[in-house]
Amino acid sequence: MRAAFLRNSFCFLVAASVSSTSRDARTDAPKPDDGTLRGRVVEIGPHLKEHCDVLMDDDQGHSVALVTDSGEVVPIVKDLRSRGLFMDERLRDRAMELEVHRCPKLPFVQVIEVYSLKGGKRYRVDYWCDVCAISTFQPGPCPCCQAEITLREKPVEDR
């Protein structure tokens, strides 16, 4: 009984130490900078082939990046907010503006907001279900009624 108590106490102390260390490491991590980037979203594989004659393996998937107006290639992290850029080819190779989190020393950005640019105006990009009045960040069926949702580009007032 005592051995089990000591073993469990030791495991608790080790777990608490690891948890504390991990938490401290996250606290010391550099904070991301918020910013805005303009350019066009491209699939990285074809872009590398065309501009650098570099072939990517097929198992890399369909990674995307923003090629900024200055030519910088900025890889995009795939998550809930950026999923439409990965899934919807209609959002590729056209003028876009992305509000992003950018971590120091990392080339990747996390998307906060997506805008398309047309005729000098910004349009907020999302996917909309007319039946349920639900907005999502990726194409496909509505999470409520399962009807196909539509790409929506809603005009945004200038800042």
Side-chain angles (χ1 to χ4, degrees):
M1 179 73 127
R2 180 167 165 77
F5 172 78
L6 291 175
R7 183 178 64 242
N8 290 341
S9 297
F10 177 76
C11 290
F12 173 78
L13 290 174
V14 170
S17 172
V18 169
S19 175
S20 173
T21 303
S22 299
R23 186 172 41 255
D24 292 343
R26 285 192 305 263
T27 303
D28 294 340
K31 301 295 182 209
D33 295 324
D34 291 346
T36 301
L37 298 172
R38 285 189 173 197
R40 59 188 178 89
V41 175
V42 300
E43 194 172 330
I44 293 176
H47 185 79
L48 287 173
K49 173 64 177 145
E50 180 182 341
H51 295 279
C52 305
D53 200 26
V54 172
L55 294 174
M56 271 177 57
D57 285 348
D58 291 338
D59 65 353
Q60 179 64 32
H62 297 284
S63 298
V64 298
L66 184 78
V67 178
T68 67
D69 294 341
S70 65
E72 179 185 10
V73 177
V74 182
I76 297 171
V77 172
K78 185 177 182 185
D79 63 6
L80 176 67
R81 188 59 191 98
S82 66
R83 220 170 273 152
L85 299 172
F86 285 79
M87 297 172 69
D88 193 343
E89 292 184 12
R90 296 174 291 180
L91 300 178
R92 309 252 178 85
D93 293 314
R94 59 190 271 201
M96 301 292 282
E97 180 178 288
L98 304 179
E99 290 181 15
V100 299
H101 287 309
R102 194 171 205 174
C103 290
K105 300 182 183 180
L106 291 176
F108 295 90
V109 293
Q110 180 183 29
V111 173
I112 302 168
E113 197 66 63
V114 176
Y115 301 97
S116 61
L117 303 171
K118 300 182 209 173
K121 296 188 182 201
R122 293 183 333 141
Y123 296 82
R124 185 175 183 273
V125 174
D126 65 3
Y127 297 87
W128 182 254
C129 176
D130 288 323
V131 175
C132 303
I134 292 176
S135 172
T136 67
F137 301 122
Q138 68 187 42
C142 171
C144 179
C145 72
Q146 299 300 304
E148 193 66 24
I149 55 179
T150 59
L151 175 64
R152 177 173 71 167
E153 296 176 88
K154 189 174 179 182
V156 176
E157 296 296 323
D158 288 332
R159 296 178 212 177

